Amino acid sequence: MGSVIKAESRVTWMILLMITAFFFAWTPYAILALMVAFLDSHVSPALATIPAIFAKTSICYNPIIYAGLNTQVRFYFYCFIIV
């Protein structure tokens, strides 16, 4: 019973970390888009690409978080690196 609770708590921690990373990546883009849409802010295209690129890097976070927090993935990754 204890191992099931431990595994569920690790999965919960991983999901919360993924959600946090998603919001961390997409919030600057969303704020900039809302500012341009509703406040008539004029933002240069060069400045607008920074939040857009940062938001699009969020697709890279989930596999890194999953591989870092999943013991089976880490085990086979280490086996792959050593062999």
Side-chain angles (χ1 to χ4, degrees), residues 5-17:
I5 293 173
K6 185 178 177 182
E8 287 179 355
S9 67
R10 283 196 341 245
V11 169
T12 304
W13 170 248
M14 181 177 59
I15 291 171
L16 287 175
L17 191 59

Side-chain angles (χ1 to χ4, degrees), residues 24-67:
F24 182 71
W26 280 94
T27 299
Y29 181 79
I31 289 172
L32 183 70
L34 289 172
M35 284 175 46
V36 169
F38 295 114
L39 298 179
D40 293 329
S41 299
H42 298 288
V43 179
S44 70
L47 183 64
T49 58
I50 295 170
I53 291 172
F54 188 65
K56 294 191 172 80
T57 61
S58 69
I59 197 167
C60 302
Y61 302 152
N62 284 348
I64 292 170
I65 292 170
Y66 183 77

